[in-house]
Amino acid sequence: MHVPDLDRAERIGMPEAVLCEPKTDEQLAVVLRDLLSAGRPTLCTRLPADRLASLPVDLVEALDHDPASRTATLHGPLATRVGSVAVVAAGTSDHGVAAEAAATLRFSGVDTQLIVDVGVAALWRLEARLDEIRAADVVIVVAGMDAALVSVLGGMIANPVIAVPTSVGYGVAADGMSALHSSLASCAQGIAVMNIDNGFGAACAALRILALAHPS
Amino acid sequence: MHVPDLDRAERIGMPEAVLCEPKTDEQLAVVLRDLLSAGRPTLCTRLPADRLASLPVDLVEALDHDPASRTATLHGPLATRVGSVAVVAAGTSDHGVAAEAAATLRFSGVDTQLIVDVGVAALWRLEARLDEIRAADVVIVVAGMDAALVSVLGGMIANPVIAVPTSVGYGVAADGMSALHSSLASCAQGIAVMNIDNGFGAACAALRILALAHPS
Amino acid sequence: MHVPDLDRAERIGMPEAVLCEPKTDEQLAVVLRDLLSAGRPTLCTRLPADRLASLPVDLVEALDHDPASRTATLHGPLATRVGSVAVVAAGTSDHGVAAEAAATLRFSGVDTQLIVDVGVAALWRLEARLDEIRAADVVIVVAGMDAALVSVLGGMIANPVIAVPTSVGYGVAADGMSALHSSLASCAQGIAVMNIDNGFGAACAALRILALAHPS
Amino acid sequence: MHVPDLDRAERIGMPEAVLCEPKTDEQLAVVLRDLLSAGRPTLCTRLPADRLASLPVDLVEALDHDPASRTATLHGPLATRVGSVAVVAAGTSDHGVAAEAAATLRFSGVDTQLIVDVGVAALWRLEARLDEIRAADVVIVVAGMDAALVSVLGGMIANPVIAVPTSVGYGVAADGMSALHSSLASCAQGIAVMNIDNGFGAACAALRILALAHPS
Amino acid sequence: MHVPDLDRAERIGMPEAVLCEPKTDEQLAVVLRDLLSAGRPTLCTRLPADRLASLPVDLVEALDHDPASRTATLHGPLATRVGSVAVVAAGTSDHGVAAEAAATLRFSGVDTQLIVDVGVAALWRLEARLDEIRAADVVIVVAGMDAALVSVLGGMIANPVIAVPTSVGYGVAADGMSALHSSLASCAQGIAVMNIDNGFGAACAALRILALAHPS
Amino acid sequence: MHVPDLDRAERIGMPEAVLCEPKTDEQLAVVLRDLLSAGRPTLCTRLPADRLASLPVDLVEALDHDPASRTATLHGPLATRVGSVAVVAAGTSDHGVAAEAAATLRFSGVDTQLIVDVGVAALWRLEARLDEIRAADVVIVVAGMDAALVSVLGGMIANPVIAVPTSVGYGVAADGMSALHSSLASCAQGIAVMNIDNGFGAACAALRILALAHPS
Amino acid sequence: MHVPDLDRAERIGMPEAVLCEPKTDEQLAVVLRDLLSAGRPTLCTRLPADRLASLPVDLVEALDHDPASRTATLHGPLATRVGSVAVVAAGTSDHGVAAEAAATLRFSGVDTQLIVDVGVAALWRLEARLDEIRAADVVIVVAGMDAALVSVLGGMIANPVIAVPTSVGYGVAADGMSALHSSLASCAQGIAVMNIDNGFGAACAALRILALAHPS
Amino acid sequence: MHVPDLDRAERIGMPEAVLCEPKTDEQLAVVLRDLLSAGRPTLCTRLPADRLASLPVDLVEALDHDPASRTATLHGPLATRVGSVAVVAAGTSDHGVAAEAAATLRFSGVDTQLIVDVGVAALWRLEARLDEIRAADVVIVVAGMDAALVSVLGGMIANPVIAVPTSVGYGVAADGMSALHSSLASCAQGIAVMNIDNGFGAACAALRILALAHPS
């Protein structure tokens, strides 16, 4: 049985979340029904549309589902918070992970800009958005393959930067390791990195920083 | 020739730094003499005592060297800044990397606490220091082997947490990959991770956050 | 043809078991029918519900199947033995592997406690179960991702501890290697480790220890 | 500063130990002098003869050093305990790791048999020692390369078996990964595995089992 | 277009063979129809029953298919040759690869014994078949997981031994790398190794040896 | 004995070269004396100053050694050719590999520009050199760590681009794999990649292109 | 939204291309409809027949699809260019990647020869095509498994050579890494390498060279 | 203590051998003195000249040392046997491993040809030696980097072929894995492979084949 962790928000400031992918259909239905009954605002991640369809109909109706980010919310969103985040993605194929980060932040009440298709193969597009990016409190950069956007943007801005490597691509890029290692070895100083495809985690790291910068 | 990047501080807020390890003795001496002449505050990293001894004597005298962190400073430290960082290390063997992070922060004018020997094999030691850790603006966790301290501490505090895996150990831990992967896969939400042994980078990531939280 | 190894129990004290996954449907049906005819108590592992359905109906009826652990038994369980084991799991997603360990032990006549949802992100839940865990003869810890529970629990108790890393998760955790390496590099002393997802093997290792501690 | 963990023996039953390899000469001397003054029985591991020679002379004199196992003891050994362990090694090159396990056990007061040169390339040698091996409470198997001894011996005996893969060899065997993976994937049931070259850890795992089988 | 390599038999003594798996259905049908028309004896490998069913009906009828080895022959077998091979397999799950080796040899006119279920977990079964194995000119050993059978058998017999690691298993054994590395690092001297699951290649290596030992 | 490959230049247009590193001192002296006697223009690579010193004095005198590139030439350089190459390097630590590429090209009679310290952390430096880079027939990009320069420059210019990843750095970058994979997965189209640290090979690839563009 | 990069051809000379595989059906339809409306010549890669069938019927009709190369074109091909490329493939299973390279070149207006089934197991076939290969401006070599064709052909010709390793095969060859590493470590000098299966990228690298050799 | 395995020759036909590298100086001296006293013909492998110098002078005098192969013999060679082996090596840097294979064979009384510098970058050199190679009973191919020689030669001859990958090279070739995987994935059929740098093992595999082909 899933025991909702009722004081989590007070303790480390993270939203209640359920990672749906590794759970069996039975486990997932039990967890979600508990949370539904408890009336607790909850974010479900890694819940694509076809998985949603396998849930009991009352749960499907209760969930506010977003196919692009493969997330759903119960009793959300949380109250609006001060602070802003820019989620910047290199290519079309990185949208899903970027959308997961954005959905997590919006569920958490944070003003979030999603800025996509600014890969380094066309630098002027990135430069055209720089003012917008610099205006955010925290910047999340989502990039696969060579993850060059992480280093280039990291060298242009002074904001806190959180990199999310993605598993887009094939050959040496297939599992996201090329993007992960490239981000960790970035020549731009002070870039912190999340696990591959972990848009949710990047949003949580941003929430920790926002809580410091804008204490409630 | 090394061209000092004079407007870096204004641009992305990072300290001028020289990574000594991969440079030849000739390259290193040229770079340091340029920086010495320019009168620019500079941090040298990965400069152990025996490497220092191979430099020309005037450079050795000009450098303020710290063997524990294998760093040296020229014309430092920078002006004191508002904000504080706790650098927390699991074991004796992680001290070097933790000291590099602390030396970078102190050179940058940041109030820094170094809290060591609080590995999870003895949880009460960690618990005894929790108030001190929570009081810091940003927490850097330095841990090798299983990096369990990252997850345990990350689940206890709401601060921004930056993990630095270390290459301490042997067998599967020998190159730091076990600690890196453990940190990236942490069950604590919102932990951002640096490259293995990159104490300097963790300090830079903290500086980006401090600049947001305490704008000058 | 599968030749049942009739004197195995006498020789090394392990239960007769069939690993179903790598066998073809034809191979599996032949092996199971042989064991059914021989009247030998047998444990089938890695037999999920949909695979069970592909077997001939007489075999399906003869098997006592448990979907959670993906195991089934023939002519079981074995006689009750002295001794007890606690199977401790970090997250909901580790239940399947933990259940396999517990099913193997129960088939072998061992008193087994399954203690789940005690990951280190919420240490007080683990602490609330410590007395129960310490009361067991042997402790099996099932954990994926960072496997931090292995180190934390290993540092709290004096029992024999057997760690089973799981392949839960994505990115660097996807194949269980992060949890395996973290367990092998644990800062807690004397933790012995099994192959990834090998709940059955952990139960067998516990049986070896119980046979020493409680000789029949 | 190293803080001796004074109640460790009571808590999880492990001997006080210092892993010397990753510490600097300065760190090591400080730790050892603290332990010497405290009069606490201590085991030093990964301390080869040439490293010993770099310590201050008073520490060298106080330590009881064993070059074969690269261990040294202070104020040891601990009181004799009930129970016995057989440490079985495949080849001459595995002696060092086997000796580390044996030295740890003897320091801990355990009756220990060291049985070497019984690799599977000459099975009759192994068979000639089987009675001796079966008579021990716990069996530690130390093997590199293909680690075939782990599987062969594991299939012959009912004792608790702890495998220690070693980094002996070259090519695919160079770092011990072939022996580690072979041990984890052993066809013998219930073999628990330690990190590569971790003779000390295997002894600790044996101590946990002995404490269960022979409670004091 | 596939160009049959008509003088291959004369040149290096290998049978004409088609690796079906990586070819598209269109490519495969074209190649097979060419060979059928040319009346050339041909072995098809990696052609499971369901793939066979996707071929045009005239090809299905012309092929002599064996589901266990996933092979099929056209216009076979080749003329009987002097010499014999024993194909020895550890577990039920290795049968498919062993059967591929045996099917290749039988297609090539070689007297072949398939000896299975002789893994080292039950050594007496292996010992019971030793005379039979020693009587063969060449011995092919097929083993996954720890591949301990390779080392044990290699240390018992003087025959040429060819090892085929298999991708049976899960966790560290999942892709056959544990068995491959174990075979390459075997403590038995003079064991030559093939690619993972390459039963066909092992048969070809045996054919090279038979051609030397029994020149036509 | 080394047999000079006298018609190589005519056949594939590559310079006669000796890779010194893996040869024993004896092998190297024999090879070089043969080439010296034959009067053939030869390039020696991976010959650092201390290795040079171990050669017989007559060979040392005959060689024209360049410590920065760790190369030496005998009877060189070759006749001047039409065409130009720009060798562009990201950081000070990449100079050695870049210098090897430049030395190979200059030995081969090619007009070569070495452009360094233009990493993406300071994009305006790169932009300041773009006209110079675009003016070259072929561009070799030398970069380690994240190799972001490869993608950024590759997206700015239409020239043939050859990337050389370097083994500069530590942690995930230590062996050059992060730079290699990043270069192979570059988002810039049509970037061809060499082995890690292979400055010589990159120069040879450029020579093949120059021979096409400027046939003699 | 996909923003067509209208001045790409002028800037770096690469054709407009859409990598279909990682995009969702929705993303792909939007991108293609934009490009269709804009009337821009476009190449779609990694679009197999079954994926094509999932697109809206008007897009299917507008696309000129080639199943062998899994490419499709919109408003193509581009104007004919001076210059020629030979795409050389080792085995039947490499045809798909070779066809992708050829399709990209033909879309770009380049005269392209596809030369297949010339693997080194039958060297005379390769030798029979050498004149044809040498006559091309640029040679693309497509090879999986051991990629021996790359080294053999590279040692026979003076042309610019671009190697594309493929993921054909099983065991150690399964993911293309054996072919990639073999190509990067080729004993033939000056071979430049692309990511695994990247036929499109190899064509782009050839286009960069052709633009130099035959400026418009 | 090393126990000479006195009946090994009778049992599996392998020469008595001592792998010197992983043994301590003390272990090695004891083993060698035992064998010297026993008057048994013995081959020592991986004993470079500087290691030899660390042995006691009486052992140094008793050993017949060959620096090129890093082997030494005691009381050798064994009686001459019928049969012949060709050891073929690609480059100068592979000589050491090839020499180890040849030294093992000559110690075992086998007529051995060492044929070097026949890499595929200059195929006519290889072709010039083909008759000589075909005349041998068994062919050992020693090759590093891309190991292309293995596939090329394997496709030209019908002899039994044993491949020995070497760890020559840098970057992706540094540890011999590129040559190992290339050899295992060879497109030439029936090539059997040894561990990296294992010239001794290749000779032993050849001895097994010679014993079959030329029974005494």
Side-chain angles (χ1 to χ4, degrees), chain G residues 6-23:
Chain G
L6 303 183
D7 59 354
R8 191 192 294 263
E10 288 72 33
R11 189 165 36 93
I12 66 166
M14 296 293 111
E16 180 76 33
V18 175
L19 176 66
C20 301
E21 195 170 63
K23 295 189 175 60

Side-chain angles (χ1 to χ4, degrees), chain A residues 145-146 151 156 182 185-187, chain F residues 123 145-146 151-152 182 185-187:
Chain A
M145 311 286 287
D146 54 7
S151 293
M156 287 174 164
S182 191
S186 175
C187 57
Chain F
L123 271 182
M145 312 286 287
D146 54 6
S151 293
V152 169
S182 191
S186 175
C187 56

Side-chain angles (χ1 to χ4, degrees), chain C residues 114-138:
Chain C
L114 190 54
I115 299 173
V116 297
D117 282 319
V118 291
V120 302
L123 271 182
W124 61 95
R125 287 193 204 155
L126 178 61
E127 285 162 354
R129 309 296 292 272
L130 266 186
D131 287 347
E132 204 176 341
I133 294 169
R134 284 193 178 115
D137 285 343
V138 177

Side-chain angles (χ1 to χ4, degrees), chain A residues 4-15:
Chain A
D5 188 355
L6 303 184
D7 59 353
R8 191 192 296 262
E10 288 72 33
R11 190 166 36 94
I12 66 165
M14 297 293 110

